Amino acid sequence: GCNILFNYSHIWKGRHLACAECPSAVTVSRATEPMDPQPLLPLLPGDVVGRYQVEGFVAEGGMGQVFRAWDTTLERRVALKIIRGDHAGDKETLLRFQREAQILAKLDHAGICRVYDWLDKDGTLVMAMEWVEGEPLSVLLEKGPLPVQQAMRLLWDVATALAAAHAKGVIHRDLKPSNILIRGNGRAKVLDFGLAKEYGPLSADEVTGNWATLAEEEVTAFMSPDRTNPLTLPGTVLGTRGYIAPELLRGASASPATDLYALGVLAHLMLTGGPYLGQKDKPLSWPQRVLQPPSTSGPSRPGSHALWTLVDRLLSLNPQDRPQAQEVVESLGQILAPPSKAWWMALAVGLTLVAGAAGLWLYGRGAIPEFSASRPARIVVVPVRNLTRSPELAVSVETGTTEILEDALRSFPQLRVVPDRVTDLRGNEVRSRLDATETQAERAFIQRVVARTGVDLVLLGEVRRHPGSGQTLLRVRLLDRAGGAKAAREVAAGSGLDYEPSTAVPVVLQGINQLLSPLRAATVFPALPPKEALEAYGHGLELMDRFRDAEALPLMEKAAFMAPQYAPLVRGYGRALFWTRDPRALSAFMWARAVARESGDRHSEVGALLGLARLAHNTDRLEPMKEETLLAEALSLGKAAGDKDLQAEVLNQVGVYWYEKGDWASAEKRLLPALELCTATGNNRRQVSVLVNLANAAKLAGRLDETRRLYREAVSVAAKVGDPLLEAINRNNLAVMDLEEGRVDEAEREFLHVLRIRREFMDDEGEGRVLLNLGIVDFMRGAQDKAEVHFKDSLRVAEKVPHLQTQGRALFWLGDLLRVRGNLAGATQRLKESWDLLRKKGTPDNKVAALAAQAECQARQSRLDEAERLLEEARQISADLPQIWRAQAWIHRQRGRPNAALDCLKRALEDPGHDDPEHQAELRGLIKAWRRGS
């Protein structure tokens, strides 16, 4: 949004500044004392516009004035932009201002200023925008050219923002240094979409016309005499002199390529600090610069040849020769990546220890003859151990090397990588690690890995120092299911105390490639992330495993931006953003998805899609992107990859989606194939999760005996796997069944046991659910005050996660307590709050309960028409649940039909599906009272 560039009283004439979201510059007079312009202000400090309280005036632009304000609801600073008084009656200005708000509202990207709201203030349009602190690029460029690395990173930021805008069909049309803000973290943000438009077929404002020469850096309109268009005149060319693409001056229409030309001008300015030079190293005039290609002669160009090839393409006179914004993003990502490791790889090969040093890498036709592309080997990569006694190498060894080995092995058609990790409900993964060095302990560990995952091969690795030279070595061993050695190799991984996984791992990969395909030529593997990126990523993962997400985020961001083409790191950045509730999570997952698709990394692409689906499930930020569509696409990719473990993972999530929609048949249709895949591969860890979800679907269908059997089977398999969280999930589910069948004491003991596990693992989402169940136990016992405490604790935890369904259910029970206590007005309010959340993320039963309870409250307050409406809405979801009969009973009673009311209470009390055991005592009390006529 609009940024406070300087306090207004300290702006001097001759210093040309631009308000961050006003299309015209602010010019003030030079003086020995600060001037007081005393502009005509439509807003004053203390004024209230909607929910925004004005704090002060910021700046004035060509058609608008900007004010700093405070959002009293969301408690954040915003910028309010309002049309200047002398333009308030101008229809063209109003339409352009309105269009700017509409366009910005479409663009939800971290690199573009966001619009929050627009309001009416005494008949004048006011735009509420993101408040951004920083310095415009134009001020930065006054000091001269930027360092090449800084320039490229800023160009990458701007190109990423343009790519997001172009993807939404929006072109900026006025890209220039004053419209790019450099924030305190060094990142760029694109501002001022006042001249932006949605592109498509040639429009009236793009018809050819005459143009004239005006002052540099002035936002202008070059117009024909015939004023006919209410927004932009025919023959108009909009933009800033010096950044307008040549095709616009020749009469062509604006397109994304016009933004890319302006980006090229920006690149030239940032890298050289000045305009193009002619044949005699003299600056060219603006028309010459626009209509003639720049000379290739002149002073040396800072940066690489690849960078200037890209800049020259951006400055092409022919718009079709310019790259698209996304291509610029990718090209800059490659240029920013470290140089080729070919020389280092050659050195590593030369230093590879041969047979006798630490084992010979065995390869030949018969090494692993039973595995092929048609019968892939399933393999677990155990975390590489750091045996160097250098703690500073722990992250790059144990996390970095393991990650890139695991990711690279997925590219082999003869292998299927199976993660052996405990996955908590937050999505964090903790790998199973080998700590012992004795042969017997190692074999026992491998047996446990095989029992959990059913894999064919296990890859073990370690990094150590050579006892003689002190050289760093990476040793990798491939073992079968029984722990027998299939192959081993040790390679140089750095000189002295250095460790370079990106030089050693490719040598190992070539060995595996020869092992699996001895007659195949050496494979060229994609570039691996630099060491610094892996270290940042590893530290970030460790912090996330300890639930320190805010501390992990900068590290994950660093890793992603250092390796922007490496999908696993970008996906990890998305996860960090998701758990810190940062709206950029959407962009990061989309980024990971695009990079994975380009590189052919189907596993990472599926992971990005599942991340987007989880984002859609837990929040409402992805509308109109649907969870169902994302999951369907992930399933299609999993099938195409031929990876049974990946297919089972996606089918399981699709089954959960349909279960939560209340469609048990569709859920079972996905979950049964998932169970078959898990059984076929021996992946017991995944099998537990599928069994739980099948049990939930059976319960939804009313098959309670089958439900209990499936839960018990899941507990048994979880015990074999050795995963306490999986065991806790199933114990919780069995406790819920005890509760529904009236065994309250047994249920409470199990819930308390599960709560200890949840808290031990800091599982906030699970803790919120268990607290809710403990509150229901208290409610059934009549301990209402104790139940209220548990419900409030559950709500607090669920809001911290956040988890909308648990929030909605906690609010429902707080409302239901008020209903039972006779506080019908308070109950109605709480139940409405509950319904707002449950209608988005609740199960069908959750929704029916919320609507029916509201209907009862309305009936008891003699609002019978509203009660009937709510009850009919509940019946559209499920027509025969106890909550509906209880509400209907109150409607009959209020209408003077006591016998019909008693019949409804009896129907509610039957409850054959155990859908509402919590209110059985209340129903029996009502029946007794109503029969007495009270």
Side-chain angles (χ1 to χ4, degrees):
C2 291
N3 171 59
I4 301 183
L5 301 177
F6 297 98
N7 183 288
Y8 198 94
S9 65
H10 291 84
I11 301 177
W12 311 93
K13 183 176 180 180
R15 182 160 180 76
H16 194 82
L17 303 174
C19 171
E21 279 300 328
C22 295
S24 291
V26 180
T27 304
V28 292
S29 64
R30 183 187 303 272
T32 57
E33 294 294 330
M35 63 173 291
D36 182 8
Q38 296 181 342
L40 180 63
L41 299 179
L43 298 175
L44 296 173
D47 285 355
V48 176
V49 182
R51 66 173 192 254
Y52 308 103
Q53 186 170 31
V54 178
E55 294 181 340
F57 174 68
V58 176
E60 186 173 65
M63 69 174 180
Q65 293 170 324
V66 181
F67 297 81
R68 183 179 68 252
W70 182 254
D71 185 335
T72 57
T73 299
L74 299 181
E75 297 186 345
R76 61 183 176 186
R77 184 153 284 110
V78 299
L80 297 183
K81 183 176 178 181
I82 187 171
I83 295 179
R84 267 178 27 194
D86 54 340
H87 286 276
D90 183 58
K91 183 179 180 182
E92 178 181 331
T93 301
L94 178 62
L95 289 173
R96 190 178 303 286
F97 192 73
Q98 188 174 12
R99 184 181 66 180
E100 179 185 0
Q102 291 170 334
I103 286 176
L104 277 172
K106 289 178 59 177
L107 304 179
D108 184 13
H109 187 270
I112 299 174
C113 174
R114 292 180 174 90
V115 165
Y116 298 140
D117 202 356
W118 49 325
L119 313 96
D120 181 270
K121 171 66 174 175
D122 301 327
T124 302
L125 186 67
V126 179
M127 199 186 326
M129 312 177 74
E130 179 184 2
W131 178 268
V132 184
E133 299 282 358
E135 182 178 46
L137 178 60
S138 54
V139 173
L140 200 61
L141 288 174
E142 290 177 2
K143 304 169 186 175
L146 305 181
V148 173
Q149 288 293 315
Q150 182 185 11
M152 287 195 294
R153 293 190 187 282
L154 293 178
L155 287 170
W156 191 93
D157 286 345
V158 176
T160 303
L162 288 178
H166 293 173
K168 292 291 184 72
V170 174
I171 51 179
H172 190 284
R173 294 206 296 180
D174 194 24
L175 194 65
K176 58 185 178 181
S178 59
N179 285 340
I180 298 170
L181 196 73
I182 312 302
R183 293 172 289 173
N185 60 2
R187 307 304 301 278
K189 200 174 191 79
V190 179
L191 311 171
D192 193 356
F193 277 72
L195 299 186
K197 72 180 291 290
E198 297 175 278
Y199 63 88
L202 189 66
S203 59
D205 65 336
E206 295 166 335
V207 181
T208 61
N210 297 324
W211 57 276
T213 301
L214 296 178
E216 188 77 14
E217 282 288 322
E218 183 177 355
V219 179
T220 60
F222 304 102
M223 299 178 291
S224 68
D226 180 19
R227 295 179 62 91
T228 55
N229 191 300
L231 183 56
T232 307
L233 307 180
T236 295
V237 178
L238 292 177
T240 297
R241 178 181 176 182
Y243 299 88
I244 295 175
E247 64 268 16
L248 296 183
L249 304 183
R250 293 176 176 138
S253 61
S255 70
T258 60
D259 283 347
L260 273 299
Y261 180 86
L263 184 65
V265 177
L266 282 172
H268 197 284
L269 284 172
M270 282 193 272
L271 291 167
T272 68
Y276 315 141
L277 298 176
Q279 297 296 330
K280 295 183 179 180
D281 297 346
K282 293 182 179 180
L284 296 172
S285 67
W286 174 62
Q288 287 176 310
R289 297 210 307 271
V290 174
L291 300 176
Q292 296 179 20
S295 168
T296 57
S297 64
S300 61
R301 295 170 159 189
S304 66
H305 174 74
L307 173 61
W308 280 101
T309 299
L310 178 63
V311 175
D312 289 341
R313 288 183 63 200
L314 289 168
L315 293 171
S316 298
L317 297 185
N318 185 353
Q320 295 180 350
D321 293 337
R322 296 173 205 146
Q324 294 183 351
Q326 185 58 39
E327 184 181 348
V328 176
V329 172
E330 295 164 1
S331 297
L332 286 170
Q334 293 171 359
I335 296 169
L336 282 165
S340 170
K341 297 295 188 298
W343 186 85
W344 291 103
M345 287 174 61
L347 177 62
V349 172
L351 293 174
T352 300
L353 301 184
V354 294
L360 174 66
W361 187 262
L362 306 173
Y363 64 91
R365 279 188 178 276
I368 310 182
E370 65 270 33
F371 303 126
S372 65
S374 60
R375 201 276 188 182
R378 299 173 65 250
I379 184 172
V380 159
V381 179
V382 177
V384 178
R385 291 183 294 174
N386 174 28
L387 303 181
T388 65
R389 297 183 180 179
S390 297
E392 66 273 10
L393 294 185
V395 171
S396 56
V397 170
E398 297 173 7
T399 302
T401 306
T402 307
E403 286 285 331
I404 60 176
L405 271 172
E406 193 173 73
D407 181 61
L409 289 175
R410 289 194 176 99
S411 64
F412 286 82
Q414 306 94 333
L415 296 176
R416 294 288 181 267
V417 177
V418 180
D420 180 29
R421 328 177 199 202
V422 178
T423 304
D424 64 29
L425 295 178
R426 288 166 37 104
N428 293 312
E429 298 172 333
V430 181
R431 298 174 181 270
S432 301
R433 297 177 178 271
L434 172 61
D435 297 320
T437 56
E438 300 83 4
T439 301
Q440 186 175 357
E442 182 179 285
R443 292 200 173 186
F445 172 81
I446 291 173
Q447 288 174 3
R448 291 193 296 273
V449 170
V450 173
R452 286 191 294 264
T453 61
V455 293
D456 305 294
L457 300 170
V458 176
L459 192 73
L460 299 178
E462 56 201 39
V463 172
R464 68 182 185 92
R465 304 281 192 216
H466 189 279
S469 65
Q471 186 181 41
T472 305
L473 306 171
L474 169 64
R475 184 185 186 220
V476 177
R477 291 179 292 144
L478 196 62
L479 300 100
D480 60 20
R481 293 169 59 93
K486 303 293 289 189
R489 191 174 195 175
E490 191 164 75
V491 301
S495 59
L497 299 179
D498 291 335
Y499 174 62
E500 290 287 348
S502 53
T503 64
V505 170
V507 182
V508 172
L509 295 176
Q510 289 292 358
I512 295 176
N513 187 49
Q514 289 179 314
L515 174 67
L516 298 172
S517 304
L519 301 181
R520 177 182 295 178
T523 302
V524 178
F525 296 101
L528 298 176
K531 175 183 175 181
E532 294 78 8
L534 290 172
E535 287 178 346
Y537 182 64
H539 281 299
L541 284 180
E542 287 188 342
L543 288 168
M544 289 181 68
D545 287 342
R546 298 200 297 270
F547 301 92
R548 292 160 61 181
D549 302 317
E551 297 174 59
L553 181 56
L555 293 165
M556 303 299 274
E557 181 175 277
K558 177 182 177 181
F561 280 92
M562 288 188 73
Q565 301 300 315
Y566 197 68
L569 268 61
V570 178
R571 179 187 164 205
Y573 176 44
R575 285 175 51 213
L577 290 167
F578 175 82
W579 289 117
T580 53
R581 291 180 281 177
D582 192 311
R584 292 176 295 167
L586 171 60
S587 301
F589 281 132
M590 293 294 286
W591 172 14
R593 178 185 179 186
V595 171
R597 177 175 295 180
E598 182 180 354
S599 63
D601 183 353
R602 283 177 171 161
H603 185 275
S604 291
E605 186 174 358
V606 169
L609 286 165
L610 294 180
L612 287 167
R614 190 175 180 87
L615 191 63
H617 179 79
N618 277 11
T619 72
D620 54 2
R621 294 176 189 154
L622 284 188
E623 296 296 338
M625 189 181 293
K626 301 297 184 184
E627 184 181 3
E628 180 182 355
T629 305
L630 293 163
L631 290 172
E633 189 173 349
L635 181 58
S636 176
L637 282 171
K639 289 179 178 178
D643 188 329
K644 292 182 180 179
D645 295 278
L646 190 60
Q647 290 179 56
E649 178 184 357
V650 180
L651 280 167
N652 191 34
Q653 291 211 28
V654 176
V656 171
Y657 169 80
W658 285 112
Y659 160 72
E660 292 185 340
K661 287 287 185 183
D663 188 342
W664 65 267
S666 294
E668 196 174 55
K669 183 178 179 182
R670 273 73 174 184
L671 292 169
L672 286 173
L675 185 62
E676 291 175 5
L677 288 168
C678 294
T679 304
T681 60
N683 194 334
N684 290 325
R685 190 187 297 280
R686 181 71 60 197
Q687 186 180 358
V688 175
S689 179
V690 177
L691 283 167
V692 171
N693 293 325
L694 270 171
N696 292 338
K699 185 178 180 182
L700 189 65
R703 304 198 299 262
L704 300 182
D705 289 341
E706 181 182 354
T707 302
R708 189 174 285 277
R709 177 187 64 79
L710 288 166
Y711 283 147
R712 285 174 174 163
E713 185 178 351
V715 169
S716 175
V717 179
K720 181 167 58 176
V721 169
D723 189 330
L725 277 177
L726 286 179
E727 188 177 348
I729 290 171
N730 292 284
R731 288 187 177 279
N732 183 81
N733 292 333
L734 285 168
V736 169
M737 293 196 74
D738 286 336
L739 195 66
E740 292 170 345
E741 294 169 8
R743 294 189 289 273
V744 179
D745 293 340
E746 293 90 332
E748 183 180 41
R749 282 196 299 271
E750 204 67 76
F751 283 139
L752 289 172
H753 177 70
V754 172
L755 183 62
R756 286 193 295 270
I757 297 176
R758 299 294 198 193
R759 286 176 170 168
E760 179 183 352
F761 284 85
M762 299 178 67
D763 175 14
D764 293 335
E765 187 174 323
E767 181 184 351
R769 290 173 173 173
V770 179
L771 287 168
L772 191 70
N773 289 332
L774 284 168
I776 295 172
V777 168
D778 296 328
F779 181 88
M780 293 177 71
R781 286 174 169 161
Q784 294 183 7
D785 291 343
K786 192 175 178 182
E788 184 178 8
V789 172
H790 275 128
F791 294 147
K792 286 181 177 179
D793 286 344
S794 173
L795 179 62
R796 173 183 52 78
V797 173
E799 287 175 338
K800 182 173 66 173
V801 176
H803 191 262
L804 298 186
Q805 184 181 11
T806 305
Q807 289 180 57
R809 291 189 64 211
L811 286 166
F812 165 80
W813 279 106
L814 288 168
D816 203 55
L817 275 175
L818 292 171
R819 178 191 65 81
V820 171
R821 292 166 173 170
N823 183 352
L824 300 179
T828 301
Q829 179 60 39
R830 279 292 198 184
L831 292 169
K832 284 180 178 178
E833 294 171 6
S834 167
W835 170 244
D836 286 341
L837 297 174
L838 292 176
R839 64 184 175 138
K840 298 176 184 176
K841 299 297 175 184
T843 66
D845 287 358
N846 296 158
K847 296 174 183 179
V848 168
L851 287 167
Q854 287 184 72
E856 178 186 328
C857 290
Q858 296 291 348
R860 291 169 66 178
Q861 295 175 87
S862 300
R863 301 171 186 152
L864 298 178
D865 290 342
E866 177 63 9
E868 291 281 12
R869 184 192 68 77
L870 289 166
L871 204 55
E872 181 58 32
E873 189 174 350
R875 286 194 179 101
Q876 297 300 316
I877 302 171
S878 184
D880 191 26
L881 288 176
Q883 298 93 330
I884 289 179
W885 290 113
R886 190 183 74 223
Q888 185 66 65
W890 277 102
I891 293 173
H892 282 317
R893 182 174 175 82
Q894 294 294 83
R895 292 193 185 277
R897 299 192 286 263
N899 291 333
L902 281 170
D903 287 342
C904 287
L905 287 182
K906 291 176 184 177
R907 291 287 299 272
L909 190 60
E910 291 171 1
D911 193 11
H914 300 285
D915 295 301
D916 192 30
E918 301 90 345
H919 296 93
Q920 295 281 302
E922 179 188 357
L923 290 170
R924 285 192 288 269
L926 282 174
I927 290 173
K928 185 176 181 180
W930 289 5
R931 278 176 175 168
R932 292 199 308 263
S934 57

